[in-house]
Amino acid sequence: KLTLIPIFFPLGTGSSILSALQDLFWLSKSKVEKQLQIISVLQWVLTFLIMGVACTLILMYILCTDCWAIAALYLAWLVFDWNTPKKGGRRSQWVRNWAIWRYFRDYFPIRLVKTHNLLTTRNYIFGYHPHGIMGLGAFCNFSTEATGVSQKFPGIRPYLATLAGNFRMPILRDYLMSGGICPVNRDSIDYILSKNGSGNAIIIVVGGAAESLNCTPGKNSVTLKNRKGFVKLALRHGADLVPVYSFGENEVYKQVIFEEGSWGRWVQKKFQKHIGFAPCIFHGRGLFSSNTWGLLPYSKPITTVVGEPITIPKIDNPSQKEVDFYHSIYVDSLIKLFDKYKSKFGLPETEVLEVN
């Protein structure tokens, strides 16, 4: 005998089930987006660390195989195209607008804050501070369109300057140029500021490798006192100086800091002097857990604030006195920018920017 047991559903159960399914759907979407963010950052970190060497080794290997003609053709192209990075490069708006950069941006997240308009009739040199381990904020804000640099500064073409040695690496050089990245040397900067019209903005990470050796969470310091070459370049070309401070840049990696005079600092300085970069011992989070060590940066917010431009006169051969004068104005402007925005981005009012 079959007994039927009546089951009573409370009013609204159908909508409750639907709501639960919707919640499950959005949770799944959130997880997918988080994984895409992790992948986007991981590919960039690997590019930063190994792409140049890896592509060089692969090209050498191909030369020793039956496909040697492909490598030979690329090397011929490389010789023909060797000076392109010194002449403004070969940027691609398609690459700069890749969706992967938006996931990269949202992983931290990274924001770009505009404080003043920039005239398209002028050229600019942005001083970016601090360097951090990898300059993540500088790359995201000025070598991609993820934070809307072209919308915030219409008519301005940003060029992020980095080590010239990167442009001797096959494939990597083309990848860098596609984002509007150029060598940080005199020939490249002279060309952009004198033969590329107006509306150009070269972003120089002024502290360089020396500054990266001292970056650590909770520390706001810049290497600037004896860095005056960028001011001299600005005077020679009449390019306005713009201080830029990136809050949170030092928070995304933890680093082993070697004391002055230690063997570790000696090795780092030797690398810096002869190769151009300083090897840092650092770590972030693991790929699958934020509680383990790995190469992924910690997801801490990075907010890059672009300050007020400093009008610079054009002086073909500026004296040291003139360089020192405008350098002091720049340092004061950077400190004022830091002091004005520090409390808005999580720092106490008592925090002081250390200028070394």
Side-chain angles (χ1 to χ4, degrees), residues 4 59 82 95 109 130 178 180-183 192 225 243 246 252 254 268 283 312 316 319 335 339 346:
L4 298 178
L59 195 67
W82 191 253
V95 174
S178 67
I181 301 177
C182 69
I192 292 171
K225 280 184 179 177
S246 207
V252 296
K254 295 178 181 178
Q268 288 177 322
H283 73 85
I312 301 294
D316 291 333
S319 65
I335 293 172
D339 288 340

Side-chain angles (χ1 to χ4, degrees), residues 296-318:
L296 277 177
Y298 293 105
S299 53
K300 304 288 186 179
I302 299 175
T303 305
T304 303
V305 184
V306 180
E308 182 178 4
I310 303 165
T311 303
I312 301 294
K314 189 177 186 302
I315 304 174
D316 291 333
N317 294 295

Side-chain angles (χ1 to χ4, degrees), residues 46-309:
L46 293 178
T47 296
F48 183 91
L49 294 175
I50 65 172
M51 183 177 179
V53 174
C55 288
T56 302
L57 293 175
I58 291 170
L59 195 67
M60 292 172 63
Y61 171 76
I62 294 175
L63 279 172
C64 302
T65 67
D66 293 338
C67 299
W68 63 269
I70 296 174
L73 283 172
Y74 179 80
L75 289 173
W77 160 254
L78 193 62
V79 172
F80 174 78
D81 195 54
W82 191 253
N83 289 322
T84 299
K86 299 178 183 178
K87 297 180 179 180
R90 186 170 48 246
R91 75 175 54 217
S92 166
Q93 287 302 117
W94 175 64
V95 174
R96 287 174 61 88
N97 281 286
W98 277 353
I100 195 171
W101 306 131
R102 295 193 290 275
Y103 289 111
F104 182 96
R105 171 200 66 196
D106 293 339
Y107 172 83
F108 297 92
I110 296 174
R111 291 177 54 210
L112 180 64
V113 176
K114 169 185 173 180
T115 63
H116 292 78
N117 291 324
L118 299 181
L119 299 174
T120 57
T121 55
R122 300 285 292 173
N123 283 324
Y124 301 90
I125 292 179
F126 287 19
Y128 184 92
H129 314 269
H131 182 285
I133 295 291
M134 297 184 185
L136 293 159
F139 171 79
C140 184
N141 285 308
F142 302 113
S143 294
T144 79
E145 293 297 330
T147 56
V149 63
S150 293
Q151 287 72 44
K152 287 182 169 69
F153 301 103
I156 301 297
R157 291 180 299 276
Y159 294 86
L160 177 60
T162 189
L163 290 175
N166 289 323
F167 296 89
R168 301 187 187 103
M169 301 283 190
I171 310 300
L172 175 63
R173 67 189 293 276
D174 303 288
Y175 189 43
L176 294 178
M177 283 194 292
S178 67
I181 301 177
C182 69
V184 62
N185 57 32
R186 182 169 173 176
D187 290 343
S188 177
I189 294 172
D190 282 347
Y191 183 91
I192 292 171
L193 295 180
S194 63
K195 298 179 181 179
N196 200 41
S198 60
N200 302 292
I202 298 179
I203 297 88
I204 299 177
V205 186
V206 178
E211 190 172 84
S212 68
L213 296 178
N214 295 313
C215 71
T216 187
K219 186 173 183 179
N220 288 282
S221 66
V222 297
T223 301
L224 184 56
K225 280 184 179 177
N226 297 317
R227 300 295 176 108
K228 300 179 180 180
F230 73 106
V231 177
K232 190 172 184 178
L233 281 170
L235 286 165
R236 288 180 62 245
H237 293 284
D240 293 348
L241 289 171
V242 182
V244 179
Y245 197 85
S246 207
F247 295 90
E249 186 73 61
N250 285 348
E251 307 299 318
V252 296
Y253 279 111
K254 295 178 181 178
Q255 180 183 190
V256 177
I257 304 293
F258 293 102
E259 297 295 330
E260 290 293 338
S262 66
W263 68 269
R265 183 53 63 101
W266 179 84
V267 170
Q268 288 177 322
K269 287 188 173 181
K270 285 296 182 182
F271 264 85
Q272 179 190 337
K273 180 179 179 180
H274 296 293
I275 302 179
F277 72 92
C280 301
I281 299 178
F282 65 93
H283 73 85
R285 53 156 289 181
L287 181 60
F288 301 106
S289 171
S290 59
N291 297 321
T292 58
W293 288 10
L295 289 176
L296 277 177
Y298 293 105
S299 53
K300 304 288 186 179
I302 299 175
T303 305
T304 303
V305 184
V306 180
E308 182 178 4

